[in-house]
Amino acid sequence: MKSLSRLMAPALAMAALMGAQMAQARELPDFTQLVKDSAPAVVNIATTTEIKRTSGPVFRGPDGQEMPEFFKHFFGDQFPGQGRGGIEKRSSLGSGFIISDDGYIMTNAHVVDGADEVMVRLNDRRELKAQVVGEDKKTDIALLKVKADDLPTLPMGDSDALEVGQWVAAIGSPFGFDHSVTAGIVSAIDRTLPSDAYVPFIQTDVAINPGNSGGPLFDLEGDVVGINSQIYTRSGGFMGVSFAIPINVAMDVADKLKTDGRVDRGWLGVVIQPVSKDLAESFGLDRARGALIADLDPDGPAAASGLKAGDIIMAVDGDEVETSANLPRMVGASSPGDSLKLSILRDGKHQTLQAKVGHWPGSDQDKIAAASNDKQGLGIAVTELGKAALADMNLDNGVKVLEVDPQGVAAEAGITAGDVLVELNQQPLTSVQSLRDVVAKLPADRPVSLRLVRNGRPLYIALRMRGLGERGAKGNAFYHRLKSDCTMRAIRFPSSPVLAV
């Protein structure tokens, strides 16, 4: 009997373990029906862009893809596949989903940005040419239209109701593999990413890869709660952190694109930064909160309303500004001409001001531009200074450095955030565009002089541009927008603490 019991014990333990595993499996969500119901309204988006090629050799690999430029140094004119001039067509892939049965489709703006032709492939394998109704780069949303009727659509959910830990699933075309399904949970909500101050991103651990851009993120009810947009990665592929645009934000943008073809947001004309614990104490706050005005456009709405550098914006129309990242969304939700009630802290005293928001000035968006991260760029973000700010420093011209890429040319030369660049290669820097123009003409074979002002003191430093084959240090991380092609956009981490509003 004892020997029988000894023989039975392992079997009983195994049965108990299997029972526990089966019970656990029953508790996990089943996405089968969700996929069957939703897949017909998810589409593949293929874009073609015509690139005018300058005369000179074009290097191609065995698969016909253009080789990186720096290989010219190794192979010269002997590399096979060279050509001269003409027009080259480049293709890329993304995802999208149908939001109305008469052919309106939502996707990411970076999927169709600059495309000469956009083709949509439906679940039934029909291919339709799409018109770009409008795109909003600040939220990375684009609205397309195809000529078709009675198309399947997806139900919209409420992204504001999402909670951390909730199950979600994605359908898209990673690397061109149509209607691939992945699942995971919501890891965090209300995330702010670099250069995306207008989107409170949903962070998930759903496997997302190039080609997933613009595809829907579902809750367990099968409702769309987000649009997959970016990943955080050190390798270029999925590493367990992905980001989606909340569907409430996306639908608001889509409605405006459908009506006006664009999104016109309110603008204050201020540059803000976070309030740290030490800054909060120095300003007399009980805790770190609000948005500190670091600078402002002397001709902008904020200056006209009486705001000053050093003011801390505590609330907008009664809604508290917990962090500086909240302010761009609050102001951006208004329309030009609207009046906002701003609660501020100035000289330790609380005050209330009325500010009439204006239009974003020009296409360069508040005159703030990130320098290109390619081989010609310095790797900095700068802003123009107003006459009053320049006069305070006894300067006639200059642009202020807001952010420095730690792997860029500027960092190697010793440029830091807060520096005011006055003269580069003996050319005065009067605007962001003048900086771009001078940088574009800098020689790569010798250093050039750069005059700047740091902490009120002028100094010169030497700056040398990189050659074609040189690169920054490895191992740094990027936020990748997930268009599947060879020109995937990348934004360096960490994010800038300075935002334009």
Side-chain angles (χ1 to χ4, degrees):
M1 180 64 73
K2 289 182 178 181
S3 59
L4 180 60
S5 298
R6 284 196 297 270
L7 291 173
M8 290 285 290
L12 292 172
M14 182 63 71
L17 179 61
M18 292 178 63
Q21 290 176 337
M22 291 176 65
Q24 185 179 11
R26 284 195 296 269
E27 294 175 1
L28 293 175
D30 183 355
F31 297 98
T32 306
Q33 192 59 47
L34 183 154
V35 175
K36 288 180 180 178
D37 295 339
S38 304
V42 180
V43 302
N44 172 279
I45 297 174
T47 66
T48 303
T49 304
E50 292 186 352
I51 306 295
K52 186 175 182 180
R53 194 168 58 224
T54 58
S55 61
V58 177
F59 301 92
R60 297 189 178 279
D63 60 353
Q65 292 292 317
E66 184 173 340
M67 298 293 284
E69 191 78 1
F70 67 86
F71 275 93
K72 292 181 182 179
H73 289 284
F74 298 97
F75 299 103
D77 293 334
Q78 304 303 315
F79 200 89
Q82 61 185 13
R84 295 191 179 275
I87 300 295
E88 179 183 359
K89 290 188 177 182
R90 291 187 179 178
S91 301
S92 63
L93 297 174
S95 304
F97 54 98
I98 306 169
I99 61 173
S100 68
D101 59 6
D102 58 347
Y104 282 96
I105 295 170
M106 187 110 67
T107 187
N108 285 143
H110 74 265
V111 170
V112 298
D113 187 34
D116 293 299
E117 183 180 67
V118 180
M119 297 296 296
V120 171
R121 186 166 65 208
L122 305 180
N123 183 252
D124 59 11
R125 299 304 170 186
R126 278 186 293 166
E127 293 190 0
L128 304 173
K129 189 173 182 178
Q131 170 198 358
V132 179
V133 176
E135 55 182 294
D136 179 47
K137 294 181 180 179
K138 280 189 172 65
T139 54
D140 197 23
I141 295 296
L143 184 66
L144 311 181
K145 179 69 168 66
V146 296
K147 293 182 179 179
D149 295 311
D150 300 323
L151 294 176
T153 62
L154 293 177
M156 300 297 115
D158 181 7
S159 52
D160 291 340
L162 273 180
E163 296 183 358
V164 175
Q166 189 171 331
W167 281 96
V168 284
I171 302 178
S173 305
F175 305 108
F177 294 104
D178 291 1
H179 296 88
S180 298
V181 183
T182 52
I185 64 167
V186 175
S187 306
I189 55 176
D190 201 26
R191 289 289 197 209
T192 299
L193 302 186
S195 300
D196 288 292
Y198 288 90
V199 180
F201 281 94
I202 303 164
Q203 179 186 330
T204 76
D205 67 352
V206 177
I208 299 296
N209 284 290
N212 273 110
S213 264
L217 183 74
F218 299 93
D219 62 15
L220 286 181
E221 303 299 320
D223 296 333
V224 179
V225 291
I227 302 178
N228 298 307
S229 177
Q230 301 185 42
I231 57 174
Y232 178 78
T233 178
R234 294 181 183 272
S235 65
F238 177 68
M239 293 186 66
V241 181
S242 54
F243 299 94
I245 302 163
I247 196 61
N248 291 7
V249 173
M251 288 303 297
D252 179 62
V253 170
D255 289 341
K256 293 176 180 177
L257 291 176
K258 185 176 181 180
T259 304
D260 304 320
R262 59 186 173 84
V263 178
D264 201 1
R265 292 183 178 81
W267 173 71
L268 275 180
V270 295
V271 175
I272 59 173
Q273 69 179 68
V275 178
S276 66
K277 180 181 178 182
D278 290 339
L279 282 174
E281 185 177 352
S282 70
F283 282 106
L285 287 172
D286 57 344
R287 60 184 178 87
R289 55 196 171 100
L292 174 61
I293 298 178
D295 199 2
L296 72 168
D297 186 332
D299 301 318
S305 68
L307 285 170
K308 300 178 180 179
D311 289 345
I312 300 178
I313 300 177
M314 307 297 297
V316 177
D317 285 341
D319 295 326
E320 291 190 7
V321 180
E322 279 298 320
T323 68
S324 59
N326 297 145
L327 186 62
R329 301 171 197 164
M330 292 176 167
V331 177
S334 65
S335 298
D338 289 350
S339 182
L340 299 179
K341 180 182 177 182
L342 303 179
S343 300
I344 67 169
L345 182 71
R346 177 185 294 172
D347 299 328
K349 298 179 181 179
H350 291 274
Q351 300 182 28
T352 300
L353 296 176
Q354 291 291 137
K356 187 176 181 180
V357 298
H359 295 267
W360 273 85
S363 59
D364 56 353
Q365 300 178 351
D366 197 31
K367 298 184 287 188
I368 290 182
S372 171
N373 66 354
D374 62 12
K375 57 182 176 292
Q376 284 86 20
L378 296 180
I380 56 176
V382 299
T383 183
E384 295 172 5
L385 294 173
K387 293 180 180 179
L390 290 170
D392 288 343
M393 292 182 283
N394 293 318
L395 294 175
D396 295 324
N397 58 271
V399 292
K400 185 177 182 180
V401 178
L402 299 180
E403 182 180 8
V404 180
D405 178 351
Q407 308 296 336
V409 171
E412 291 178 356
I415 297 173
T416 61
D419 287 348
V420 177
L421 310 185
V422 179
E423 183 181 281
L424 178 58
N425 200 24
Q426 301 179 9
Q427 300 295 315
L429 303 178
T430 58
S431 65
V432 172
Q433 188 57 50
S434 71
L435 174 62
R436 287 175 174 157
D437 293 341
V438 175
V439 169
K441 299 176 182 177
L442 289 180
D445 57 347
R446 63 177 177 84
V448 296
S449 64
L450 171 64
R451 180 172 178 255
L452 58 85
V453 173
R454 178 178 296 165
N455 298 325
R457 296 182 178 180
L459 72 150
Y460 280 89
I461 63 174
L463 183 145
R464 183 191 292 270
M465 300 302 290
R466 288 176 181 154
L468 285 173
E470 297 178 72
R471 295 181 176 180
K474 296 180 180 179
N476 54 320
F478 296 86
Y479 286 99
H480 279 185
R481 297 187 187 276
L482 303 170
K483 179 171 68 172
S484 181
D485 68 354
C486 61
T487 57
M488 191 187 313
R489 292 176 57 193
I491 306 172
R492 289 187 182 273
F493 177 86
S495 63
S496 167
V498 184
L499 299 172
V501 183

